[in-house]
Amino acid sequence: MEQLLTSPADAAEHPKFLAKKPLIISGPCSAETEEQLIATCTQLAATGKVDMLRAGIWKPRTKPGLFEGIGTKGLPWLQRAKQLTGLPTTVEVATPKHVEDALAFDVDVLWIGARTTVNPFSVQAVADALRGVDIPVFIKNPVHPDLELWMGAVERLAKVGNQKIGLIHRGFASYGNTEFRNAPMWHLPIEMKRRLPDLPIICDPSHICGNRTGLASVAQKSIDLDFDGLMLESHIDPDNAWSDAKQQVTPQRLAELLDGLTWRHETTDQQEFLTVLSKLREQINQLDDEILHLLGRRMQVAESIGQYKKDNDITILQTNRWNEILERGIQKGNQLGLTRDFILKYFDAVHLESINRQNRVMNRENLE
């Protein structure tokens, strides 16, 4: 099967289309009334900190009967806001009809939502509707942590000739998650940046947090990770919003939030900084080499244990021993300033590799 945009060389053919970094997108979760939308957008524009206006026109909801967006009649309101403020606009589209209507009312940028990204049929339908249309399209990560679905949506847009693709990180649904509405799982957008370094990626703290209190910390985290911008929901009267009231802020509060962030740069031309950074990175390289060498030796010992177990008809998994390793690792890690979560993830990976090695030893004769 043909693969698109799976390497830096491929991604280089799809240059970043952002005219400004950081790009700040804001507006209400939902367009509710013309007065609400115009007031919110004009106040956002007055802050001088917003580059693009957003508004939910069609709202995919978990259950029927909830407010599912004002629909196409809200598009003229957004068009009016564009005329009054001079700012470009963006909306979410999920069907070819959404695309058709958005284009008819001069929407400047489209985005594909998380509930659409998860369905290849829906993404393909939107992609087909955009064939030959020169408009930027952002793609939100799928609801669930499936990197290949996210990549697949990018590839479907690229295959119809779209050269202006961007990404939006809005977090992922996860069982047992309580801190966030959608867990950020930062390693996944980081992997997308690695695979597609020339595609812009912005963060949506509103949907990650699901509340107002965590917006600043999540926004700052994304900036520290060199994201290209932010999408934040704003409403003139957040407490009475028709959807997602808890995660929206007033335009004035949005301006304060943005002023409180520390905007960083990916690099600098200051020679002293570059020299020190180069030395520190070389230390990291040497330490990584040592760690990998030690892990290789550890796996050799694990294989020897596997052979000894095989010779004595002993099972691979020894639960008591595994608990002993974890408890010892957590205690030692705590002494070294390593978090419990990191230690558990590290030993899970090491344990799995050890089991795989021992399993190969156990079944070597059968394989041969």
Side-chain angles (χ1 to χ4, degrees):
M1 179 183 296
E2 180 183 6
Q3 295 292 318
L4 298 178
L5 298 173
T6 54
S7 71
D10 294 329
E13 298 175 3
H14 295 255
K16 288 186 178 181
F17 59 82
L18 296 185
K20 174 182 176 292
K21 179 181 176 180
L23 176 72
I24 306 299
I25 301 173
S26 189
C29 173
S30 299
E32 300 165 0
T33 67
E34 184 172 7
E35 294 75 18
Q36 166 256 358
L37 183 59
I38 296 297
T40 302
C41 291
T42 52
Q43 288 184 29
L44 286 169
T47 68
K49 300 180 182 300
V50 174
D51 305 299
M52 188 178 297
L53 301 172
R54 59 144 289 153
I57 301 297
W58 305 278
K59 299 294 297 179
R61 306 306 295 271
T62 302
K63 295 180 179 180
L66 300 175
F67 176 60
E68 295 184 327
I70 206 69
T72 303
K73 77 174 188 177
L75 289 172
W77 309 342
L78 192 60
Q79 188 178 44
R80 176 65 174 157
K82 174 181 176 179
Q83 294 167 350
L84 290 172
T85 64
L87 294 176
T89 57
T90 180
V91 299
E92 176 180 348
V93 294
T95 71
K97 184 63 165 60
H98 291 172
V99 173
E100 178 185 343
D101 290 348
L103 296 178
F105 286 94
D106 300 320
V107 173
D108 298 281
V109 176
L110 306 178
W111 87 77
I112 296 175
R115 295 172 188 265
T116 304
T117 306
V118 79
N119 187 332
F121 292 109
S122 297
V123 174
Q124 189 61 56
V126 171
D128 290 339
L130 288 167
R131 190 181 300 272
V133 179
D134 184 26
I135 186 171
V137 180
F138 279 103
I139 304 172
K140 285 195 173 186
N141 62 258
V143 174
H144 302 291
D146 188 332
L147 205 64
E148 298 311 315
L149 272 178
W150 204 0
M151 283 292 300
V154 172
E155 293 176 9
R156 289 178 190 279
L157 265 292
K159 282 186 175 181
V160 299
N162 193 299
Q163 299 292 308
K164 299 175 181 177
I165 302 172
L167 305 172
I168 300 176
H169 173 226
R170 49 81 76 194
F172 303 86
S174 62
Y175 179 76
N177 170 48
T178 56
E179 182 179 359
F180 300 98
R181 177 181 179 184
N182 294 288
M185 300 187 187
W186 295 105
H187 63 288
L188 294 178
I190 288 172
E191 174 61 14
M192 288 295 283
K193 282 172 63 68
R194 186 194 69 79
R195 294 189 188 187
L196 307 172
D198 285 350
L199 265 63
I201 181 168
I202 65 175
C203 184
D204 177 355
S206 301
H207 281 88
I208 289 176
C209 294
N211 59 61
R212 297 168 197 149
T213 57
L215 296 177
S217 61
V218 170
Q220 187 64 62
K221 175 77 171 183
S222 70
I223 293 167
D224 295 344
L225 292 172
D226 195 35
F227 277 53
D228 295 284
L230 300 169
M231 177 183 278
L232 289 157
E233 293 184 347
S234 181
H235 192 290
I236 54 170
D237 186 10
D239 289 335
N240 292 301
W242 294 3
S243 60
D244 289 348
K246 294 181 180 180
Q247 66 193 41
Q248 300 188 70
V249 295
T250 64
Q252 294 72 26
R253 175 61 191 128
L254 179 80
E256 294 171 359
L257 187 155
L258 294 172
D259 282 339
L261 299 175
T262 301
W263 300 95
R264 307 189 192 281
H265 307 283
E266 184 176 4
T267 188
T268 177
D269 57 3
Q270 296 180 11
Q271 190 56 51
E272 181 180 357
F273 170 85
L274 296 174
T275 299
V276 173
L277 184 63
S278 177
K279 291 179 179 178
L280 291 173
R281 284 176 170 172
E282 183 56 35
Q283 290 181 36
I284 290 290
N285 290 340
Q286 293 176 8
L287 289 169
D288 283 344
D289 287 345
E290 292 178 22
I291 290 170
L292 291 172
H293 179 71
L294 289 172
L295 283 172
R297 290 176 56 189
R298 189 190 192 285
M299 293 307 159
Q300 290 176 358
V301 174
E303 290 184 356
S304 297
I305 291 174
Q307 184 62 54
Y308 193 61
K309 289 177 179 177
K310 178 182 179 180
D311 294 342
N312 290 273
D313 294 326
I314 303 297
T315 60
I316 292 176
L317 180 62
Q318 303 285 309
T319 305
N320 290 337
R321 171 58 178 162
W322 173 229
N323 288 334
E324 178 187 328
I325 290 174
L326 282 182
E327 291 174 6
R328 183 174 180 275
I330 291 170
Q331 291 177 3
K332 187 66 175 179
N334 185 55
Q335 295 172 7
L336 297 172
L338 301 174
T339 67
R340 176 187 176 91
D341 184 57
F342 171 76
I343 292 296
L344 291 176
K345 289 178 180 178
Y346 164 75
F347 275 107
D348 276 345
V350 170
H351 190 227
L352 180 60
E353 178 66 12
S354 296
I355 287 175
N356 289 339
R357 294 287 187 106
Q358 292 188 22
N359 187 60
R360 285 198 293 269
V361 170
M362 288 274 193
N363 295 280
R364 186 171 294 157
E365 293 180 0
N366 295 334
L367 293 174
E368 294 174 353

Coordinates of all heavy atoms in Angstrom, one line a residue, residues 6 9 23 42 54 62 82 124 151 157 166 172 198 252 274 284 289 291 305 314 325 354 365-366:
T6 N 5.3 9.9 5.6 CA 5.8 9.1 6.7 C 7.2 9.3 7.0 O 7.8 8.6 7.8 CB 5.6 7.6 6.3 OG1 6.2 7.3 5.1 CG2 4.1 7.2 6.2
A9 N 11.5 13.6 4.7 CA 11.6 13.9 3.2 C 10.3 14.1 2.6 O 10.0 15.0 1.8 CB 12.4 12.8 2.5
L23 N 0.3 30.8 16.4 CA -1.1 31.1 15.9 C -2.0 30.9 17.0 O -2.1 29.9 17.6 CB -1.4 30.2 14.7 CG -2.8 30.3 14.2 CD1 -3.0 31.6 13.4 CD2 -3.2 29.1 13.3
T42 N -15.8 40.3 18.5 CA -15.3 41.6 18.5 C -14.5 41.9 19.7 O -13.5 42.6 19.6 CB -16.5 42.6 18.4 OG1 -17.4 42.4 19.4 CG2 -17.1 42.6 17.0
R54 N -12.8 31.2 15.8 CA -13.5 29.8 15.6 C -14.9 29.9 16.2 O -15.2 30.7 17.1 CB -12.7 28.8 16.3 CG -12.5 29.0 17.8 CD -12.5 27.7 18.6 NE -13.9 27.1 18.7 CZ -14.1 25.8 18.8 NH1 -13.2 25.0 18.9 NH2 -15.4 25.4 18.9
T62 N -22.4 13.2 22.2 CA -22.4 11.8 22.5 C -23.8 11.2 22.5 O -24.0 10.1 22.1 CB -21.8 11.7 24.0 OG1 -20.5 12.2 24.0 CG2 -21.8 10.2 24.4
K82 N -16.2 38.1 10.7 CA -15.0 38.3 9.9 C -14.9 39.7 9.3 O -13.8 40.3 9.3 CB -14.9 37.2 8.8 CG -13.8 37.3 7.8 CD -13.9 36.2 6.8 CE -12.9 36.3 5.7 NZ -13.0 35.2 4.7
Q124 N -12.5 10.2 4.5 CA -12.4 10.1 3.1 C -13.5 10.9 2.4 O -13.2 11.6 1.4 CB -12.5 8.7 2.6 CG -12.2 8.4 1.2 CD -10.8 8.9 0.8 OE1 -9.8 8.4 1.4 NE2 -10.6 9.8 -0.1
M151 N -2.4 9.6 11.4 CA -1.6 9.6 10.2 C -2.5 9.3 9.0 O -2.3 9.9 8.0 CB -0.5 8.5 10.4 CG 0.7 8.9 11.3 SD 1.7 10.2 10.6 CE 2.2 9.5 9.0
L157 N -6.0 13.3 3.2 CA -6.1 14.7 2.7 C -4.9 15.0 1.7 O -5.2 15.6 0.7 CB -5.9 15.7 3.9 CG -7.2 16.2 4.5 CD1 -7.9 17.2 3.5 CD2 -8.1 15.1 5.0
G166 N -2.5 20.8 8.7 CA -2.0 21.0 10.0 C -2.6 20.1 11.0 O -3.6 19.3 10.7
F172 N -6.7 12.7 24.5 CA -7.3 11.4 24.2 C -8.2 10.9 25.3 O -7.8 11.1 26.5 CB -6.2 10.4 23.9 CG -5.3 10.8 22.8 CD1 -4.2 11.6 23.0 CD2 -5.5 10.4 21.5 CE1 -3.3 12.0 22.0 CE2 -4.6 10.8 20.5 CZ -3.5 11.6 20.7
D198 N 7.4 19.1 9.3 CA 7.0 20.4 8.6 C 5.5 20.7 8.6 O 5.1 21.6 8.0 CB 7.5 20.3 7.1 CG 9.0 20.5 7.0 OD1 9.6 20.9 8.0 OD2 9.5 20.3 5.9
Q252 N -11.5 38.8 27.9 CA -10.6 39.4 28.8 C -9.7 38.5 29.6 O -8.5 38.7 29.7 CB -11.4 40.3 29.8 CG -12.1 41.5 29.2 CD -13.4 41.1 28.4 OE1 -14.0 40.0 28.7 NE2 -13.8 41.9 27.4
L274 N 24.8 27.6 22.3 CA 24.9 26.5 21.4 C 26.1 25.6 21.9 O 26.0 24.3 21.8 CB 25.1 26.9 20.0 CG 23.9 27.7 19.4 CD1 24.3 28.2 18.0 CD2 22.7 26.7 19.3
I284 N 24.5 13.3 27.2 CA 23.3 12.5 27.1 C 23.6 11.3 26.2 O 23.2 10.2 26.5 CB 22.1 13.3 26.5 CG1 21.6 14.3 27.6 CG2 21.0 12.4 26.1 CD1 20.9 13.7 28.7
D289 N 24.4 5.5 25.6 CA 25.1 4.4 25.1 C 25.4 3.4 26.3 O 25.3 2.2 26.1 CB 26.5 4.8 24.5 CG 26.3 5.5 23.2 OD1 25.2 5.3 22.6 OD2 27.3 6.2 22.7
I291 N 23.6 3.1 29.0 CA 22.3 2.5 29.4 C 22.0 1.3 28.5 O 21.6 0.2 28.9 CB 21.2 3.5 29.4 CG1 21.4 4.5 30.6 CG2 19.8 2.8 29.5 CD1 20.4 5.7 30.5
I305 N 18.8 -17.1 32.6 CA 17.8 -17.6 33.5 C 16.7 -18.4 32.8 O 16.3 -19.4 33.3 CB 17.1 -16.3 34.2 CG1 18.1 -15.6 35.1 CG2 15.9 -16.7 35.0 CD1 17.6 -14.3 35.7
I314 N 10.6 -25.0 34.9 CA 10.1 -23.9 35.7 C 9.4 -22.9 34.8 O 9.9 -22.6 33.7 CB 11.1 -23.2 36.5 CG1 11.8 -24.3 37.4 CG2 10.6 -22.1 37.4 CD1 10.9 -24.9 38.4
I325 N 11.0 -7.0 42.2 CA 11.7 -6.1 41.3 C 11.1 -4.8 41.3 O 11.8 -3.7 41.4 CB 11.8 -6.7 39.9 CG1 12.7 -7.9 39.8 CG2 12.3 -5.7 38.9 CD1 12.7 -8.7 38.5
S354 N 12.3 -9.1 28.6 CA 12.9 -10.3 29.3 C 12.0 -11.5 29.1 O 12.5 -12.6 28.8 CB 13.0 -10.0 30.8 OG 13.9 -9.0 31.0
E365 N 14.0 -25.2 20.5 CA 14.0 -26.4 19.8 C 12.7 -26.6 18.9 O 12.8 -27.1 17.8 CB 14.0 -27.6 20.8 CG 15.4 -27.6 21.6 CD 15.4 -28.8 22.6 OE1 14.4 -29.5 22.7 OE2 16.4 -29.0 23.3
N366 N 11.6 -26.2 19.4 CA 10.4 -26.3 18.6 C 10.4 -25.4 17.4 O 10.0 -25.8 16.3 CB 9.2 -25.8 19.5 CG 8.9 -26.7 20.6 OD1 9.3 -27.9 20.6 ND2 8.3 -26.2 21.7

